[in-house]
Amino acid sequence: MATPKLPTVTKITGLPVPSDASSKSHHLLSKTGKLVGFRNTHDSFNNKYDGSTILPAAFKLLTDRVRGKLGPMPPIPSPCPIPVRKPTFITTRIGPSALRATWLGHACYFLEFPSGLRVLFDPVFEEICAPTSLLSSKRFTPVPCSIADLPFLDAVVISHSHFDHLSHPTVQEITKHHPTAHFFVPLGLQAWFRKQGITNVTELDWWEDAELTVPADEATIRGTFSCLPAQHSSGRSGFDKDTTLWASWAVSSTLFSSDTKKSVYFGGDTGYRAVPEDIKGDDYLPHLPTNPDFGKIGTLRGPFTLGLLPIGAYRPRYLMSSVHANPFDAVEIFRDTRCEKAMGIHWGTWQLTFEDVMEPPVLLREALARRGLPERGVFDICDVGESREF
């Protein structure tokens, strides 16, 4: 059997960027000018309790529980009300007639483009999304398939280094079953992959772009991968907080010999606004500053065929809002980024925070109605393992 040809990656320029992109204000520099980390720079972020700073956040949760300000974590319903089905995939190298998106749990989506391009976002196929089983709860919805079940895989997109978005065992499974798959990661994260012996990896900064070219018998497959801003954090231990970048991504691909272009905006993991502790409720809160980068993404890179937008892991809001969008925030991100349709991610897999596991879909419908949008058919959820076409 012939050895599969590796895809090629070329960094490209010429796509529109905001006027302030060259300032790199999100870079954290040492006194000597060396890049040592990254930061959130907008008023929509509050770093007092950002939900990703483990010790301050954990201490705040503990004291609030003792004081009776925060109740117990809601129980997971039994049986779990989120259906899980065995997914089906296109088994020929030729792509489907429409953009096909399959939810594999949490933030993981598998995209099959009409061009033939296959892309996997934030794959984590493990039971526990933490360094040890003591630090996180077990999956309450099982993995719907294995990496080996994917007939083709051209690219893997990683939003940031947290354990529920980047998994060492899953990455190793990908390299075993799909050795030519190329990884696209935010700035600083390439070194982690190289330590695993993986060299087919490209790291990008915000507003940087690369083209992937995949040789195939039917026709050459191309995809454009764009690293874009998000409001979050990073780290895999207590000693590497924010030393690698976090990002959202855009991926687009055009059908060979056609002008049929499909594009996906992947929100990954992000906040939209910081909600102070004295504010209650889940409304739009229009008086609070929001992150302006999503509007820039929509204006400069939109519209998108599909948005994959986070809707879960948001309570208590005073701890999580800076780094995790709730459904009301997600609908605003949907509008800002000019997505034509959207699917909810970052819910229904691990109980990471204090909302009921079935609350995100309920609030999503409320948020859509409040904005005068249809409650179904525009920004939806689906079963784990289910595929939708766009």
Side-chain angles (χ1 to χ4, degrees):
M1 180 180 293
T3 303
K5 295 181 180 179
L6 286 171
T8 58
V9 177
T10 305
K11 289 190 176 182
I12 58 176
T13 58
L15 294 179
V17 300
S19 58
D20 59 352
S22 61
S23 69
K24 304 291 185 184
S25 60
H26 60 291
H27 287 196
L28 186 62
L29 306 178
S30 68
K31 293 182 179 180
T32 60
K34 180 182 177 181
L35 178 62
V36 294
F38 303 91
R39 60 187 175 186
N40 296 286
T41 61
H42 299 303
D43 291 339
S44 56
F45 180 82
N46 179 354
N47 63 3
K48 181 179 180 182
Y49 305 116
D50 67 19
S52 64
T53 310
I54 295 175
L55 291 180
F59 180 76
K60 177 65 173 172
L61 283 174
L62 178 62
T63 55
D64 283 358
R65 290 285 298 276
V66 171
R67 294 170 181 170
K69 294 178 63 177
L70 187 65
M73 189 169 284
I76 298 171
S78 182
C80 180
I82 303 172
V84 179
R85 62 176 75 176
K86 180 75 173 178
T88 59
F89 305 110
I90 304 297
T91 57
T92 61
R93 200 59 177 100
I94 299 173
S97 58
L99 177 66
R100 195 166 184 268
T102 305
W103 187 37
L104 301 180
H106 199 53
C108 182
Y109 250 91
F110 182 64
L111 272 293
E112 299 165 289
F113 286 78
S115 66
L117 181 70
R118 266 70 164 198
V119 182
L120 188 63
F121 293 90
D122 278 4
V124 178
F125 282 60
E126 275 58 64
E127 288 293 309
I128 302 297
C129 61
T132 74
S133 60
L134 298 178
L135 298 179
S136 180
S137 57
K138 186 179 179 181
R139 267 184 192 265
F140 59 85
T141 51
V143 180
C145 68
S146 69
I147 293 295
D149 291 330
L150 304 179
F152 306 98
L153 182 57
D154 302 310
V156 182
V157 173
I158 302 296
S159 64
H160 65 296
S161 66
H162 287 158
F163 282 85
D164 57 325
H165 296 260
L166 175 60
S167 160
H168 177 267
T170 296
V171 166
Q172 293 300 323
E173 279 292 297
I174 290 171
T175 59
K176 174 183 175 182
H177 294 286
H178 301 282
T180 63
H182 197 88
F183 291 86
F184 289 89
V185 304
L187 195 62
L189 201 49
Q190 179 175 271
W192 184 91
F193 282 83
R194 296 205 180 267
K195 287 180 180 178
Q196 321 307 320
I198 300 170
T199 58
N200 48 332
V201 55
T202 297
E203 66 176 18
L204 299 173
D205 200 355
W206 290 352
W207 301 108
E208 289 185 342
D209 311 278
E211 183 178 73
L212 177 75
T213 302
V214 182
D217 293 337
E218 293 80 7
T220 299
I221 300 169
R222 290 185 173 86
T224 300
F225 293 75
S226 302
C227 183
L228 298 170
Q231 181 173 295
H232 200 58
S233 182
S234 67
R236 294 178 71 81
S237 72
F239 306 98
D240 64 343
K241 177 174 166 55
D242 296 349
T243 57
T244 62
L245 186 58
W246 47 95
S248 62
W249 290 84
V251 179
S252 63
S253 186
T254 303
L255 185 63
F256 181 73
S257 300
S258 169
D259 60 356
T260 304
K261 177 183 176 180
K262 297 292 185 179
S263 58
V264 175
Y265 175 70
F266 176 64
D269 205 350
T270 186
Y272 185 66
R273 76 188 93 212
V275 179
E277 189 171 357
D278 59 349
I279 292 182
K280 310 300 180 184
D282 294 291
D283 213 327
Y284 295 121
L285 308 175
H287 61 290
L288 296 178
T290 61
N291 191 309
D293 288 330
F294 298 107
K296 295 175 184 178
I297 290 168
T299 299
L300 297 172
R301 300 300 180 89
F304 299 98
T305 309
L306 173 65
L308 303 174
L309 305 177
I311 64 171
Y314 49 79
R315 292 198 190 280
R317 296 294 287 147
Y318 60 86
L319 283 181
M320 306 310 302
S321 58
S322 280
V323 291
H324 285 171
N326 76 351
F328 285 90
D329 295 336
V331 169
E332 299 308 297
I333 294 172
F334 168 75
R335 286 159 46 87
D336 288 353
T337 54
R338 299 176 62 203
C339 295
E340 295 171 2
K341 298 289 180 67
M343 298 299 294
I345 64 170
H346 207 261
W347 78 285
T349 307
W350 291 285
Q351 191 177 30
L352 302 176
T353 51
F354 280 74
E355 73 272 8
D356 185 277
V357 298
M358 292 306 296
E359 184 182 83
V362 174
L363 289 190
L364 178 60
R365 289 192 293 270
E366 292 181 14
L368 289 166
R370 187 68 65 88
R371 274 300 191 186
L373 295 168
E375 293 183 22
R376 289 180 173 83
V378 174
F379 189 160
D380 288 330
I381 62 164
C382 67
D383 298 347
V384 177
E386 182 181 353
S387 300
R388 296 282 182 95
E389 292 191 347
F390 302 89

